[in-house]
Amino acid sequence: MTRTIREVTFDLLRKLELTTVFGNPGSTEETFLKHFPKDFRYVQTLHEASAVGAADAYAQAMRRPAIVNVHTSAGLSNGMSNILTAFQNKTPLIITAGNQTRDMLLMEPWLTNVEPSQLPRPWVKWAYEPVRAEDVPAAFMRAYAMALQPPAGPVFLSIPLDDWDRPASGEPVLRSVATRIAPDPDRVAEFARVLSGASNPVLIYGAAIARGNGWPQAIALAEKLNAHVWAAPACERPPFPETHPLYAGGLPFAIAPLSRKLEGHDVAIVIGAPVFRYYPYVAGTYLPEGMRLLHVTDDAAEAGRAPVGDSMLSDPVLALESLTRLVEPRTGSDAPLKQAHRMAPHPAAPAHVAKPGEMTPLELFQTLRAATPAETILVEESPSNLGELHSAWPIDQPDSFYTFASGSLGWGLPASVGLAMAERDSGRNRPVLAIIGDGSLQYSIQALWTAAQQKLPILVVVPRNGEYAILKSFAVLEETPGVPGLDLPGLDIVSLAKGYGCNSARAETADEIRKVCAEAFTRSGPTVLEVPVTATVPPLL
């Protein structure tokens, strides 16, 4: 008996262990979801961006690809902000969408994805609509390979809705995929010689080390070289324990201030990060005078666009292992002067005295760190308070901090859903705490519903400052007074959270916060805590 495209494709997905689908159903996707197999799980979200964000974090935490199903051109457009983030997070996702029936594609009826391979670009590695229905299973196999191969990232498949019930022409070939690139022996030997001959080398580590589970290797190289360690600017995953004696902090994300931080070093090596992630333009030299820069990345495009430095293509963790074997040990380096704001790219705002009924952001974060288990996973999307958060919460365990590489708001809340699901599925069961600004929360607030439906014990803390304070910082830097739309009056976070089925509360004191923390991780379902905080404008540099 001839099997259908649907049957053959779902069998392939089983073999690839891709049995969880994140999505928001649409009319052109119902033929894919028809008779949804009982051994698969459908994680429903109320918006496609939330589906992508949750899948991104789930894939990161499980260290394997995830599937997202969105609604043709409209749903793909809805999800683009978090597709951008997944691309820059280098997360392997297979994003699928339906399209109109093949008999009508020529006429471009309502909701047709007119150019399905073009719409998600440039934020996917590969995009394709199979020419024939018979090619759908093999297209999934290629999508899996493309998503995993370095640099990992999202891919997109558009599938006309009438393909799924067509007869399959055979079984797709199941293939294994290599995911790591070893360093060139001559190049890594050269890099080791340069590091060994340096009088004062410095290490700049990036999120790819965390993605590769490479903290032990990162520590080994730092200790053998006895070299100071900086986190790359605006790093989305901590690459090194912040309590280690050699850790200095996170580099600023502007040209001149970053160069000044590196003064006094003659050689720097960037491993697993771009050179460099900048945002505000502050003119200056990329490097201090006399410094040589080495760059290790598994992303050829990242190496190509670096404005300075000699590059080596390699899996960052394999490069760390090779360099540790080859470099000469160093002694005598002083401990670095640790910056108070640790990996945050800019300092905390000047100290303020809280008004009655509110806390300072620093007081809030210090209270949360003391009131939560040591193994708590922290998710951050509160740009206005980065300096205070990282001052209060040193990251000293791998895979315990997540944020977004893109700067596009709306990722953190659905990401906390994906992380909590991964903790439950893996059996690790670590608590998940998300710090989401009152402005950031509005970009994906509907993710609270999914957290409630999945009964995930997430604690979402919303520092309520009533403004886009980070944009006020840019207004200062860019000398643009009088910009409208930077204040956020009239938001009732507690009522919004209750409407999505969450436990919610408002706290104004440390005792009230401690009480909520004690209860949140023991209940079935999410808790949203609104905390009024002093409005501050952080310095960007």
Side-chain angles (χ1 to χ4, degrees), residues 46-71:
L46 300 182
H47 191 275
E48 287 87 352
S50 289
V52 177
D56 178 345
Y58 184 81
Q60 288 194 57
M62 298 298 286
R63 286 191 164 88
R64 65 173 186 248
I67 294 182
V68 185
N69 185 238
V70 302
H71 181 37

Side-chain angles (χ1 to χ4, degrees), residues 141 389 397 537:
M141 185 64 247
L389 177 60
Q397 297 181 36
V537 177

Side-chain angles (χ1 to χ4, degrees), residues 152-241:
V155 297
F156 174 69
L157 288 178
S158 172
I159 303 164
L161 65 88
D162 55 328
D163 281 4
W164 294 103
D165 286 320
R166 299 279 183 89
S169 59
E171 299 294 325
V173 176
L174 186 69
R175 299 185 289 124
S176 61
V177 181
T179 59
R180 308 181 77 186
I181 302 169
D184 173 77
D186 293 336
R187 190 66 157 172
V188 75
E190 177 192 351
F191 278 25
R193 284 194 297 271
V194 172
L195 289 168
S196 297
S199 61
N200 190 17
V202 63
L203 304 173
I204 302 169
Y205 286 159
I209 292 172
R211 287 193 294 270
N213 204 21
W215 273 31
Q217 293 87 340
I219 293 168
L221 179 61
E223 291 180 347
K224 189 170 184 182
L225 284 173
N226 201 17
H228 300 174
V229 174
W230 288 94
C235 200
E236 67 273 18
R237 299 274 298 274
F240 195 80

Side-chain angles (χ1 to χ4, degrees), residues 251-388:
L251 288 170
F253 58 173
I255 295 170
L258 188 154
S259 181
R260 287 195 293 269
K261 286 283 188 183
L262 299 178
E263 288 177 354
H265 298 284
D266 57 338
V267 174
I269 183 167
V270 178
I271 302 178
V275 177
F276 284 107
R277 186 171 285 153
Y278 300 122
Y279 190 38
Y281 178 65
V282 182
T285 59
Y286 292 112
L287 301 172
E289 185 177 355
M291 170 177 277
R292 180 175 179 183
L293 183 79
L294 310 176
H295 183 205
V296 178
T297 176
D298 65 359
D299 185 346
E302 190 170 89
R305 65 176 174 263
V308 290
D310 303 314
S311 65
M312 175 172 67
L313 283 178
S314 172
D315 175 281
V317 179
L318 291 179
L320 286 167
E321 293 171 350
S322 295
L323 288 168
T324 302
R325 286 193 299 269
L326 294 171
V327 295
E328 297 295 329
R330 296 177 67 254
T331 57
S333 178
D334 295 330
L337 181 64
K338 295 178 182 289
Q339 60 188 21
H341 54 280
R342 296 189 175 92
M343 71 177 288
H346 54 75
H352 285 71
V353 177
K355 300 175 184 177
E358 66 183 26
M359 305 177 73
T360 67
L362 182 60
E363 289 170 340
L364 167 61
F365 301 139
Q366 288 173 333
T367 302
L368 288 171
R369 176 64 289 194
T372 52
E375 69 274 16
T376 298
I377 297 173
L378 179 64
V379 182
E380 175 275 311
E381 194 173 299
S382 184
S384 304
N385 308 124
L386 291 180
E388 291 87 348

Side-chain angles (χ1 to χ4, degrees), residues 440-456:
S440 298
L441 183 73
Q442 311 312 315
Y443 285 76
S444 58
I445 192 168
Q446 68 283 339
L448 291 173
W449 180 86
T450 303
Q453 295 299 307
Q454 294 290 325
K455 296 181 170 54
L456 299 170

Side-chain angles (χ1 to χ4, degrees), residues 418-499:
L419 290 168
M421 289 184 61
E423 287 301 306
R424 186 168 63 188
D425 288 358
S426 67
R428 294 185 296 259
N429 293 314
R430 293 176 297 171
V432 175
L433 169 63
I435 306 289
I436 312 291
D438 51 350
S440 298
L441 183 73
Q442 311 312 315
Y443 285 76
S444 58
I445 192 168
Q446 68 283 339
L448 291 173
W449 180 86
T450 303
Q453 295 299 307
Q454 294 290 325
K455 296 181 170 54
L456 299 170
I458 302 165
L459 175 57
V460 179
V461 178
V462 182
R464 178 82 168 93
N465 61 8
E467 62 183 12
Y468 291 124
I470 193 67
L471 295 182
K472 293 185 177 182
S473 298
F474 276 97
V476 172
L477 179 72
E478 296 167 350
E479 300 179 357
T480 54
V483 175
L486 302 188
D487 292 311
L488 296 171
L491 289 174
D492 184 347
I493 305 300
V494 173
S495 296
L496 289 169
K498 287 180 179 177

